[in-house]
Amino acid sequence: MITLITYRSGFGQPSFSPFCVKAMWLLQAAGVAWQREDSNDPRKMPYAKLPAIRTPHGLIADSHNIQTYLEKQGADFWGKAVDRVTGHALIRMAEEHMYFHIVLDRWGNEEVWPIIRENYFADIPALLRRPITNSIRKATLKGMHAQGLGRFSPDERLDRIEGDLTAIAAQLDGRPYLMGDQISLPDYTVAAMLGAAMATPLPTKLNQRVVNDPVLADYATRVSEKMAVT
Ligand SMILES: N[C@@H](CCC(=O)N[C@@H](CS)C(=O)NCC(=O)O)C(=O)O
């Protein structure tokens, strides 16, 4: 039995973290027996991040390493998908660009932040919660400043992510999944990011852009329902 170490469920998602949702979908798609172990402390993990899986072969951290581990055990996440180059580029777009928009939408927005604090960090005693989370938030936003997107206003960010959202809709082109009729690897990442954007608990610009786009919203819901993780 594989154990997925994941952030908790919340905001209607099986995890607050889209990378943990992706890992759940990989495990589902691989058809292996797995269970979840919720954690809010990634510090002891190999990269100090979640997700990670505990396996008979040891601890595997990072959703990409989880993917390659499961592939070595026989999983086929691509199926009939032909255009794997585009699929790969979509994965990078979602993980190395869209994800940071979601981070800023949640951690960088003064209205959203208190909701994040009280939900992500509910297990920290109330008296300690603000000082501890303020320093985590400061470090996160410093990282976003270094990454670059943290220097943009919400309008500039929306402008910047528009090309990604348009590309996803264009790639779908009326088909149920990114690579065609069959769900495959890029869907596990891209739909997880869209789902996270939709789940942000206040109507931010990004949240509303995705929620009100029937192509993107239906696609994210379709993948989530297909993978059926609660
Ligand atoms: N490349 C990693 C990214 C995972 C990741 O960014 N996890 C975030 C949550 S969504 C995390 O654990 N952050 C904790 C931290 O940065 O301190 C993967 O694919 O698993």
Side-chain angles (χ1 to χ4, degrees):
M1 170 80 83
I2 292 178
T3 299
L4 172 69
I5 308 164
T6 171
Y7 292 109
R8 289 191 294 111
S9 60
F11 305 152
Q13 299 289 298
S15 171
F16 286 126
S17 156
F19 286 103
C20 292
V21 173
K22 171 192 167 189
M24 290 175 193
W25 291 349
L26 289 172
L27 290 161
Q28 294 284 86
V32 296
W34 67 279
Q35 61 188 2
R36 64 185 290 164
E37 178 184 302
D38 290 358
S39 167
N40 205 17
D41 188 359
R43 284 173 299 178
K44 292 206 175 80
M45 293 296 121
Y47 306 115
K49 284 179 183 266
L50 290 175
I53 54 173
R54 220 174 275 122
T55 78
H57 306 95
L59 189 63
I60 314 282
D62 191 289
S63 67
H64 178 77
N65 293 342
I66 293 171
Q67 174 207 325
T68 52
Y69 171 79
L70 293 170
E71 283 172 338
K72 278 187 198 135
Q73 307 304 308
D76 172 13
F77 295 123
W78 285 100
K80 291 182 299 184
V82 178
D83 188 3
R84 297 186 185 192
V85 174
T86 300
H88 176 79
L90 286 165
I91 292 168
R92 284 287 179 268
M93 178 182 86
E95 298 192 2
E96 309 300 339
H97 187 241
M98 292 173 68
Y99 169 67
F100 296 111
H101 285 262
I102 295 159
V103 171
L104 280 164
D105 226 30
R106 293 185 175 187
W107 294 71
N109 179 309
E110 295 305 324
E111 280 79 46
V112 177
W113 164 247
I115 306 174
I116 296 300
R117 182 185 64 220
E118 299 308 311
N119 282 273
Y120 281 20
F121 301 104
D123 53 347
I124 301 179
L127 274 176
L128 296 175
R129 198 174 301 144
R130 278 185 190 233
I132 292 176
T133 58
N134 279 348
S135 79
I136 300 174
R137 184 189 192 204
K138 207 169 155 195
T140 301
L141 294 180
K142 195 172 166 199
M144 289 312 311
H145 187 80
Q147 191 272 348
L149 281 175
R151 299 162 200 239
F152 292 170
S153 71
D155 277 323
E156 288 173 319
R157 293 206 306 269
L158 191 65
D159 217 38
R160 188 59 66 99
I161 201 173
E162 183 57 32
D164 299 20
L165 302 175
T166 309
I168 295 166
Q171 177 66 22
L172 284 168
D173 194 23
R175 303 173 306 170
Y177 303 111
L178 289 169
M179 296 287 108
D181 291 337
Q182 203 183 59
I183 196 162
S184 67
L185 186 59
D187 297 303
Y188 305 136
T189 290
V190 172
M193 294 303 161
L194 291 174
M198 290 167 71
T200 294
L202 284 181
T204 62
K205 287 172 190 290
L206 173 60
N207 166 270
Q208 290 300 288
R209 168 66 183 86
V210 180
V211 166
N212 293 321
D213 185 321
V215 171
L216 299 178
D218 290 357
Y219 163 66
T221 305
R222 185 179 312 122
V223 173
S224 154
E225 287 177 355
K226 167 108 178 151
M227 301 317 293
V229 179
T230 48

